[in-house]
Amino acid sequence: MTSAEMPSNPAGKRQVHLAAHFPGVNSTTVWADPRSRSQIDFTSFEQLARTAERGLFDFFFLAEGLRLREHKGRIHDLDVVGRPESITVLNALAGVTDRLGLAATVNATFNEPYETARRFAALDHLSAGRAAWNVVTSSDAFTGENFRRGGFLDRADRYTRAAEFVDVARQVWDAGAGRPLRHDGRHFTVEGPHGVARPPQGHPVVIQAGDSDEGREFAARAADVIFTRHGTLEAGRAFSADVKGRLARYGRARDDLKIMPGATCVLGDSAAEAQERAAAIRRQQVSPQNALLALEQVWGVDLSGYDPDGPLPDIDPVPDSALSQGRTHRGDVFALAEKWRALSLEKGLSIRQTVIETTGRQSFVGTPDAVAAEIDTFVQAGAADGFILVPHLTPGGLDDFVDRVVPLLQERGVFRSAYAGTTLRSHLGLAVPEVLHT
Ligand SMILES: Cc1cc2nc3c(=O)[nH]c(=O)nc-3n(C[C@H](O)[C@H](O)[C@H](O)COP(=O)(O)O)c2cc1C
């Protein structure tokens, strides 16, 4: 079914898409809360997935890093140690869910397209058409050390490799329908099919998460969904306009690409109660120790002598420092440090308060009514097609949202009251791609 054929609701409103994010590497989880449970036991994955399916979400999302990050020579305190590999987890979840899409993050820099395509084809078959692949491109040498290719790929080449990677994967999937398979490109040579039938979705859904100009271009060309950090109304609109504006170059329509910012939600019976809860959660997420850690990640030097309740350091940050290894590329650390300093001066904030203000913005804080109205506003305004919800508690952190906000979105006529189809493509209103014949 194409978007044009989607049943329109009486008011002709745009529909909201929702996904559940299961944390991995994170500073979101409030570990001190007695309701916090394991992030590695299957029962936790199962519980959050079942909640998402009860809430009729489009998909369940697993982020993944390929190496535990390090800080000051030790394993980063906020990384989850012992988590099973994502596609394996999703294959198990396919057996305990029915309709929920299942998305795994697989890096295009450190894997091979032939094998990756085979694994996603298997997930798509085992789940009867619910697989999605979040294509990420981190290329740092620290991660590369596990692949005996330390730093082998220039930052600029990450997306040429990723684009070729996805093209080859699609050819491999189409080979399952009898299309001949032969690719001889800059990064990959693939000669013969592996014998897995074409996936039920034709091509599993492709998600992109990355923000550079090359990343956006790659998404416009090859992705079905973008997972983005542009979560305010203004930034979301600008981002959507930018990436959706690139689609025509590739013969694609605006609805062929869904923009889904990561988002958090804190509910209360009154606006004041929700605000209080939200502030308490931020204080728990940014402990004095975590505040210094966040600062050290920007400054790139040991700041353990600083008082988290005192002012920001007046020393300059060190770019390309090896103090923190394996984190996402942070861009211009001088500009970031300057921005944090200016904010702290302007508002009289301590180190900890500055980190609370600048990291981990809370998206939706309010009564269920207010949150449903705000989500609706975002989607109708074209600032997003929906949200990937990141709970601060695992695995029960989306219970309240599903019980209290989803029914209000349904009342507003902007969210399904039952799954219309069985595949993730049908939840997203995306057609099954035709087999390309050469
Ligand atoms: C919202 C979001 C989520 C991401 N999740 C992951 C992840 O789970 N694993 C990973 O290795 N990289 C992840 N990344 C990193 C991106 O794939 C990419 O490597 C990084 O953002 C740099 O790309 P860029 O230069 O296009 O921004 C994520 C990025 C964003 C914006």
Side-chain angles (χ1 to χ4, degrees):
M1 187 161 52
T2 65
S3 347
E5 292 163 342
M6 288 283 286
S8 60
N9 61 73
K13 293 186 89 182
R14 299 181 66 82
Q15 296 295 294
V16 173
H17 295 279
L18 294 172
H21 182 285
F22 188 98
V25 293
N26 69 82
S27 49
T28 312
T29 299
V30 174
W31 294 101
D33 191 300
R35 292 166 297 175
S36 266
R37 297 268 185 278
S38 169
Q39 293 191 6
I40 60 176
D41 283 354
F42 184 66
T43 51
S44 290
F45 293 104
E46 182 179 5
Q47 189 180 325
L48 188 68
R50 284 189 190 276
T51 304
E53 189 161 76
R54 182 162 62 80
L56 306 172
F57 280 29
D58 294 66
F59 61 92
F60 174 93
F61 180 92
L62 290 174
E64 189 170 90
L66 288 172
R67 181 172 176 182
L68 290 171
R69 292 172 297 172
E70 288 179 12
H71 187 68
K72 297 202 257 190
R74 295 176 42 209
I75 303 256
H76 189 299
D77 266 352
L78 296 172
D79 274 11
V80 174
V81 180
R83 207 179 90 168
E85 184 278 323
S86 296
I87 297 185
T88 310
V89 172
L90 296 184
N91 280 318
L93 287 179
V96 295
T97 53
D98 240 3
R99 293 286 184 271
L100 185 68
L102 302 166
T105 298
V106 172
N107 192 306
T109 305
F110 300 112
N111 285 290
E112 290 293 320
Y114 183 80
E115 177 59 11
T116 302
R118 194 167 78 98
R119 296 173 69 214
F120 276 106
L123 176 62
D124 210 47
H125 280 291
L126 292 174
S127 64
R130 297 187 280 137
W133 166 24
N134 179 34
V135 182
V136 295
T137 57
S138 331
S139 64
D140 58 288
F142 177 74
T143 303
E145 282 168 9
N146 280 339
F147 298 86
R148 304 178 68 192
R149 291 170 175 173
F152 81 104
L153 197 63
D154 270 359
R155 242 184 98 71
D157 278 341
R158 295 171 311 147
Y159 283 109
T160 57
R161 179 176 161 111
E164 191 180 329
F165 197 116
V166 172
D167 280 350
V168 173
R170 287 181 168 150
Q171 290 176 51
V172 172
W173 293 325
D174 284 352
R179 178 187 185 272
L181 178 59
R182 168 155 303 163
H183 175 89
D184 192 7
R186 174 164 163 221
H187 296 280
F188 310 105
T189 300
V190 175
E191 281 288 334
H194 51 55
V196 178
R198 193 171 194 247
Q201 295 188 100
H203 302 162
V205 168
V206 167
I207 305 171
Q208 185 266 1
D211 199 27
S212 58
D213 188 60
E214 299 94 323
R216 292 176 184 210
E217 202 61 30
F218 165 69
R221 180 176 176 270
D224 303 303
V225 175
I226 301 187
F227 177 18
T228 172
R229 295 201 176 96
H230 295 283
T232 63
L233 195 64
E234 214 168 286
R237 267 177 159 160
F239 181 74
S240 286
D242 177 75
V243 285
K244 294 208 178 195
R246 298 172 189 237
L247 290 169
R249 278 208 269 288
Y250 303 101
R252 306 182 68 202
R254 293 180 82 80
D255 274 348
D256 291 348
L257 177 63
K258 309 292 182 212
I259 312 288
M260 298 181 71
T264 61
C265 175
V266 182
L267 298 174
D269 290 332
S270 66
E273 189 191 66
Q275 289 295 347
E276 249 168 61
R277 269 194 194 154
I281 289 168
R282 288 303 288 144
R283 281 195 298 276
Q284 285 177 300
Q285 287 169 329
V286 185
S287 63
Q289 185 193 356
N290 286 351
L292 282 185
L293 192 142
L295 209 67
E296 286 174 341
Q297 286 187 326
V298 174
W299 259 259
V301 290
D302 186 337
L303 299 171
S304 50
Y306 283 78
D307 176 3
D309 295 321
L312 267 71
D314 52 13
I315 52 172
D316 276 338
V318 175
D320 302 321
S321 149
L323 193 81
S324 282
Q325 297 268 30
R327 71 214 158 121
T328 308
H329 184 70
R330 286 229 118 169
D332 182 349
V333 287
F334 292 105
L336 195 57
E338 209 33 61
K339 199 168 127 192
W340 286 21
R341 273 204 204 102
L343 182 81
S344 131
L345 276 178
E346 183 198 324
K347 297 198 178 174
L349 304 179
S350 66
I351 287 176
R352 186 174 175 206
Q353 289 165 329
T354 305
V355 174
I356 286 175
E357 285 266 315
T358 51
T359 62
R361 194 185 69 83
Q362 284 162 320
S363 325
F364 302 113
V365 178
T367 61
D369 255 326
V371 167
E374 213 180 338
I375 289 177
D376 189 3
T377 301
F378 264 77
V379 172
Q380 305 316 320
D385 291 292
F387 294 93
I388 297 184
L389 295 172
V390 185
H392 67 273
L393 288 177
T394 303
L398 291 179
D399 294 357
D400 273 359
F401 184 93
V402 165
D403 292 334
R404 303 182 69 190
V405 180
V406 166
L408 298 175
L409 291 171
Q410 290 166 331
E411 269 175 32
R412 289 175 162 270
V414 294
F415 192 66
R416 64 176 67 90
S417 43
Y419 286 113
T422 58
T423 68
L424 176 55
R425 279 190 177 274
S426 76
H427 307 337
L428 291 167
L430 300 170
V432 172
E434 284 173 21
V435 177
L436 294 172
H437 287 283
T438 45

